[in-house]
Amino acid sequence: MVETVSDFVQLLTPEGVRTPSPDFDQWVSDVDAPQLASLYEDMVVVRRIDTEATALQRQGELGLWPPLLGQEAAQIGSARTLRGDDFVFTSYRENAVAYCRGVDLTDIIRVWRGNAQSGWNPYDIGMAVPAIIIGAQTLHATGYAMGCQQDGVDSVSVAYFGDGATSEGDVNEALVFAAAFKAPVVFFCQNNHWAISEPVGLQAIRPLADRAPGFGVPSMRIDGNDILAVMAATRIALERARSGNGPTFIEAVTYRMGPHTTADDPTRYRDAAELEEWKAKDPILRVERLLDSLGLFTAEFQAGVKAKADAVAAELRHGCITLPDPEPLSVFDSVYTTPNATLDRQKAEYTAYLASFEARDGQNSDDVTDAASVTAASVNAVSVTAGGGRL
Amino acid sequence: MLKVFALPDLGEGLTESEIVAWHVKPGDPVELNQHIADVETAKAVVELPSPFTGVVTELYQQPGVVVHVGEPIVSFEVEDASAIGDDAAGEGDATPVESQVTTDAAKPAVREAVLVGYGAAAERGGRPKRRPRPARVDPAASAEPASPAKRASSIAPDSSERRSEPVEVATAERPRSTPPVRALARDLGIELVTVTGTGPDGLITRDDVRAQASGEGQGAAHEQTAPAASVVSASPGERETRSPIKSLRKLTAAAMVQSAFTAPHVTEFLTVDVTPTIELLGTLKGDKAFDGVRINILTIIAKALCIAVRRNPSLNTRWDEAAGEIVQFNYVNLGIAAATPRGLIVPNIKDADALGFAEIAAELSALTEAARAGTTSQSALAGGTISITNIGVFGIDAGTPILNPGEAAILAMGAIRRLPWEYRGEIALRDVMTLSLSFDHRLVDGEQGSRFLADIGAILANPGRVLMMV
């Protein structure tokens, strides 16, 4: 395993020092102080969303939550460079990307509460609903990009996936197609070092970025905890795609500081020392230091960011716990686009089943709603659990 | 307003969790998301954040208790609903953790709060209850010979379990048909199990499906009836308590069974006058080099064991049955059996033979601390080569310890007793300890095992002997 600082592009050191890079500097020359402050705020806010959602899971308000702690720069830095007409295909951990795309806070947690099969309309914001199946979204992204080609537009499709996904057939197939058709797609791989409990070194003898050239896809290996490097690399890739020069593979080297999901205990498989090492490379801390060195990290600024983060957390919590339970029969909606006899019959049977409680307990309507909503809750819980099993 | 908080499913599909510790007590004010308890699930120990800002009124569950998902564990007096941002929720089902109870509720919340995502809770309280139907006697059940225990359990379960049986039988094998016929059935909404095949070997044909579709509804609704559930289980004043075999106990049991019935154990005993070691410890404790380091007889024995291993390497080996090889470890990963609140674990000190005395002492302290705090890492539990168990702390003299699987020897240290003992030709009160050594007789012959134990004994009886051993 090759893993030293010199292996990747870094524009901002963990100490908050801006380091020159002839090839990359031009791509972030427009990032001025206000923009840097705004990037910082976004990272703090999504970290707050993460901790609030984790707390909500522990309080029984969410079935599950996949924290992105430590990957803020990789997600914010890349998502903030996209255009509105670009289209994003993510896995389940890209909640910061969703935040940047403008997904409503309540919509972000809707699925994790088991309240809905999906949280938003992908076409409204140019972001597909998260793929639970590892790596599947890279194929969707490549297909979408080929569609853009056919339409003759210069929109780009971006696939987000992790280090573990690179071992999946889907990702390799997507790379083959993207290269063969010169599709305008960006493969944004967040190498967070752990595929649940499997360290990246087990499945990648060489850096992941080295694989892409074999498919005919140029690649970059960047410090994923450096928001400037992430922005620069993403812009290079987007420009290449928009100008008809095909796909790019970006390996953003970052670290999942939290558990795989709220159901995971990383202390069982990784050393505390490794976590400490990465805490020193925190993506937010280095921007804080840079802002400080520029004299921008004032008490007033900090208070403003904190207020924003707290407000977002409060809004998230409020939206979560006031989310109405879904109607029991809504579980049959959105299964098929066309009528289906088997499903129709199941729905009729279930309707009759629910009605049997009303017939039984006509005098006690309270119990009826109780029983019905319990059933709905369990139906949804099952779908979340089944999905989670494949994470 | 009193708010009761029920144990949520902290993982994915967990049905129970253990309260490890409370960090609050009744009367304590708490903030939203303040860390109030540690809870251990089958997957992890997690921190429980307070769901409310308010004052803790009651803890319903004690540490060490396994709680089912959905059972109340703590209640809060919450001054103002808006303080937690759920003002719009008001009352009712939309606010999952909320359920109002009277303060004297020793068994709170008969009606459980409905929690979305509470897959597990549905097992207990969630299944919609049907009114028991008048039941027919099930002839199959009474014809089946059964032990009293079996019979008792076969009539106890509620009707819902019985109802599912015929369904399972019916779906055991897919009816014979062909893909186009299955597609037709699907389109017409016909379940193939309801169709009788008229083709060769009972094959279901296109016509069979069509016939079923046109004639469906006439005899479809055959209600299954449930057997009587009239027996009440007697449980006042329990004489036995049954508790589930939990993960660590299960692991320990499996390891012990595997070890005890794979490796032929031999145990030897040696009783030693350890007074000189105790005196040495007294001297060392006054030494500046050991400031802030806890040293005791275990430290000395750990060091002595490493020295004895070097002289008797066969004690530090592993029998690799699969490879048909004996693995000689040229390092010592020294396991220390530790009783923790959650069961027995054997974390080990890596490369203990390469450590100096003070380093071993420090490692032992760290290991004990981690075990006590429940923060022992997985890597500390793996890769041990030889172990020590300290039964002396419980006041026990000797025993026949069972080997940690994959290791060739384990040393049990007994209690230090002040006993009349022969000393320089006279009888004196001396500090005496019994050492018990179990070893795997496949790997270690009596001679080597005895020499190893004698070496350790010699060091304890006269620490100066180390000079002649290293």
Side-chain angles (χ1 to χ4, degrees):
Chain A
M1 240 185 321
V2 193
E3 192 77 276
T4 64
V5 177
S6 60
D7 286 325
F8 53 46
V9 177
Q10 187 183 66
L11 305 181
L12 182 61
T13 69
E15 293 73 33
V17 178
R18 188 70 175 76
T19 51
S21 163
D23 294 338
F24 284 76
D25 281 346
Q26 52 176 314
W27 294 95
V28 287
S29 55
D30 65 312
V31 180
D32 54 9
Q35 209 184 336
L36 194 64
S38 149
L39 290 166
Y40 174 80
E41 181 187 280
D42 272 5
M43 289 197 289
V44 172
V45 167
V46 297
R47 184 168 285 189
R48 187 74 176 81
I49 288 176
D50 224 35
T51 49
E52 194 66 23
T54 301
L56 284 166
Q57 195 279 337
R58 299 290 185 240
Q59 289 156 359
E61 301 290 352
L62 295 180
L64 188 73
W65 179 256
L68 61 88
L69 184 70
Q71 300 175 224
E72 292 87 354
Q75 294 191 17
I76 300 283
S78 53
R80 286 272 301 252
T81 61
L82 304 179
R83 278 190 344 211
D85 63 332
D86 293 332
F87 209 101
V88 175
F89 296 84
T90 71
S91 85
Y92 41 82
R93 203 183 299 286
E94 280 70 41
N95 292 301
V97 175
Y99 175 76
C100 288
R101 295 303 278 175
V103 178
D104 182 79
L105 291 170
T106 310
D107 287 342
I108 290 181
I109 45 88
R110 203 176 282 276
V111 167
W112 303 108
R113 190 170 165 86
N115 258 44
Q117 316 291 346
S118 66
W120 59 83
N121 181 352
Y123 296 104
D124 290 348
I125 50 160
M127 175 171 178
V129 295
I132 299 295
I133 298 174
I134 303 299
Q137 72 277 18
T138 54
L139 288 168
H140 309 157
T142 303
Y144 188 93
M146 290 163 67
C148 291
Q149 263 178 330
Q150 301 286 325
D151 288 348
V153 296
D154 70 346
S155 306
V156 176
S157 135
V158 184
Y160 284 87
F161 53 99
D163 45 300
T166 60
S167 294
E168 294 278 348
D170 285 6
V171 176
N172 292 272
E173 291 163 27
L175 284 164
V176 168
F177 270 76
F181 288 90
K182 272 196 153 184
V185 54
V186 178
F187 293 94
F188 193 91
C189 174
Q190 290 168 83
N191 173 3
N192 73 9
H193 282 77
W194 288 93
I196 307 189
S197 58
E198 178 150 310
V200 65
L202 269 184
Q203 52 183 322
I205 308 296
R206 305 263 318 144
L208 296 171
D210 285 6
R211 293 189 190 175
F215 290 94
V217 176
S219 69
M220 288 177 266
R221 190 165 199 266
I222 57 165
D223 181 349
N225 283 7
D226 168 2
I227 195 160
L228 295 179
V230 171
M231 289 181 78
T234 313
R235 282 170 166 176
I236 291 170
L238 288 171
E239 179 54 31
R240 182 179 291 144
R242 289 199 211 289
S243 54
N245 291 315
T248 307
F249 183 103
I250 299 173
E251 179 189 357
V253 180
T254 178
Y255 192 73
R256 191 194 80 210
M257 300 209 286
H260 172 68
T261 67
T262 46
D264 174 45
D265 178 4
T267 63
R268 294 194 183 192
Y269 51 78
R270 73 182 184 195
D271 267 346
E274 186 182 290
L275 179 60
E276 288 306 314
E277 185 188 319
W278 280 92
K279 275 184 181 166
K281 303 180 197 164
D282 189 293
I284 298 183
L285 188 61
R286 67 180 74 182
V287 177
E288 196 173 301
R289 287 170 171 158
L290 178 59
L291 286 169
D292 199 26
S293 71
L294 298 171
L296 298 169
F297 198 62
T298 60
E300 190 189 356
F301 171 71
Q302 292 177 50
V305 171
K306 185 177 185 306
K308 166 85 181 189
D310 286 346
V312 166
E315 186 188 336
L316 178 81
R317 169 169 290 267
H318 177 81
C320 174
I321 63 185
T322 57
L323 210 52
D325 283 348
E327 284 301 313
L329 289 171
S330 68
V331 73
F332 295 100
D333 299 344
S334 314
V335 179
Y336 291 104
T337 50
T338 54
N340 179 282
T342 305
L343 195 70
D344 289 346
R345 201 186 62 187
Q346 288 178 358
K347 185 173 180 177
E349 284 174 358
Y350 193 56
T351 307
Y353 175 70
L354 293 176
S356 72
F357 296 103
E358 288 176 40
R360 187 198 71 177
D361 294 320
Q363 69 278 33
N364 188 352
S365 61
D366 193 38
D367 276 0
V368 176
T369 38
D370 197 24
S373 51
V374 166
T375 313
S378 3
V379 167
N380 280 290
V382 167
S383 68
V384 166
T385 310
R390 268 179 269 120
L391 293 189
Chain B
M1 186 196 299
L2 189 73
K3 300 259 189 183
V4 175
F5 180 67
L7 178 76
D9 173 3
L10 294 163
E12 286 175 88
L14 300 175
T15 57
E16 62 184 27
S17 302
E18 182 179 330
I19 308 283
V20 177
W22 284 108
H23 299 302
V24 290
K25 57 183 186 308
D28 285 356
V30 290
E31 294 290 322
L32 176 67
N33 291 346
Q34 180 183 331
H35 176 194
I36 55 170
D38 295 327
V39 180
E40 181 173 29
T41 72
K43 295 179 175 177
V45 177
V46 301
E47 297 179 352
L48 198 66
S50 171
F52 303 110
T53 297
V55 175
V56 176
T57 51
E58 191 172 350
L59 305 178
Y60 296 114
Q61 306 289 350
Q62 295 307 306
V65 171
V66 174
V67 183
H68 286 282
V69 167
E71 280 183 304
I73 55 173
V74 57
S75 61
F76 304 86
E77 186 60 42
V78 178
E79 199 173 279
D80 176 10
S82 65
I84 54 164
D86 73 338
D87 47 325
E91 84 278 50
D93 293 338
T95 315
V97 294
E98 182 179 325
S99 71
Q100 299 188 23
V101 293
T102 50
T103 39
D104 61 343
K107 272 193 73 175
V110 176
R111 185 187 144 201
E112 277 180 31
V114 177
L115 265 179
V116 174
Y118 266 30
E123 273 176 25
R124 286 163 12 87
R127 183 190 287 268
K129 288 171 198 69
R130 284 211 164 158
R131 178 167 303 193
R133 294 165 192 271
R136 282 188 220 136
V137 175
D138 182 352
S142 52
E144 181 190 12
S147 68
K150 174 117 185 255
R151 194 180 303 132
S153 68
S154 72
I155 46 182
D158 66 21
S159 53
S160 58
E161 281 182 23
R162 294 303 288 252
R163 256 203 325 276
S164 66
E165 281 177 15
V167 179
E168 281 168 20
V169 173
T171 56
E173 193 186 348
R174 190 168 72 170
R176 286 158 176 271
S177 66
T178 57
V181 172
R182 282 200 291 276
L184 174 69
R186 197 169 57 235
D187 290 343
L188 295 174
I190 300 295
E191 299 279 6
L192 283 181
V193 289
T194 65
V195 182
T196 311
T198 58
D201 294 329
L203 190 80
I204 296 171
T205 65
R206 208 166 261 277
D207 289 340
D208 295 333
V209 172
R210 289 218 181 86
Q212 178 77 8
S214 58
E216 213 201 15
Q218 49 200 22
H222 42 91
E223 279 285 348
Q224 291 117 345
T225 51
S230 57
V231 176
V232 186
S233 66
S235 68
E238 280 183 298
R239 285 160 65 81
E240 294 175 2
T241 306
R242 300 179 76 94
S243 52
I245 299 168
K246 292 196 297 175
S247 54
L248 188 53
R249 174 81 351 218
K250 201 180 259 177
L251 288 174
T252 307
M256 289 301 105
V257 167
Q258 189 216 338
S259 175
F261 297 106
T262 311
H265 285 56
V266 176
T267 307
E268 295 187 336
F269 305 95
L270 178 65
T271 303
V272 190
D273 175 359
V274 298
T275 315
T277 294
I278 301 297
E279 289 167 359
L280 173 66
L281 279 171
T283 323
L284 293 180
K285 276 173 184 162
D287 193 314
K288 271 208 203 82
F290 297 103
D291 265 0
V293 184
R294 281 217 341 249
I295 49 173
N296 53 31
I297 185 108
L298 174 60
T299 328
I300 305 250
I301 291 181
K303 187 69 197 166
L305 179 142
C306 291
I307 292 165
V309 159
R310 200 170 305 160
R311 290 158 56 87
N312 308 277
S314 67
L315 277 290
N316 193 36
T317 54
R318 187 164 78 84
W319 184 272
D320 189 341
E321 182 80 40
E325 291 170 347
I326 289 170
V327 184
Q328 172 67 59
F329 298 111
N330 299 320
Y331 58 90
V332 177
N333 284 352
L334 179 58
I336 306 290
T340 72
R342 273 165 287 131
L344 172 75
I345 58 173
V346 191
N348 60 73
I349 300 174
K350 300 281 184 279
D351 297 314
D353 54 324
L355 300 180
F357 187 71
E359 291 167 317
I360 285 195
E363 290 284 332
L364 277 172
S365 299
L367 176 146
T368 325
E369 222 120 87
R372 200 170 291 145
T375 57
T376 303
S377 73
Q378 202 60 28
S379 60
L381 292 173
T385 65
I386 189 167
S387 293
I388 293 178
T389 175
N390 187 355
I391 55 177
V393 293
F394 304 110
I396 301 303
D397 294 321
T400 56
I402 293 180
L403 295 163
N404 211 17
E407 298 178 12
I410 180 168
L411 180 72
M413 43 190 280
I416 301 170
R417 304 226 181 265
R418 198 92 175 127
L419 292 179
W421 205 256
E422 188 271 340
Y423 181 62
R424 293 184 177 166
E426 310 221 341
I427 288 181
L429 278 178
R430 304 288 289 173
D431 290 319
V432 176
M433 172 193 261
T434 300
L435 298 169
S436 315
L437 175 77
S438 290
F439 52 86
D440 183 342
H441 218 342
R442 293 174 304 181
L443 291 158
V444 182
D445 293 335
E447 182 199 349
Q448 297 141 3
S450 303
R451 284 187 191 282
F452 174 78
L453 186 57
D455 278 353
I456 295 174
I459 295 173
L460 295 177
N462 183 0
R465 287 285 289 276
V466 170
L467 292 175
M468 281 165 277
M469 294 184 179
V470 293

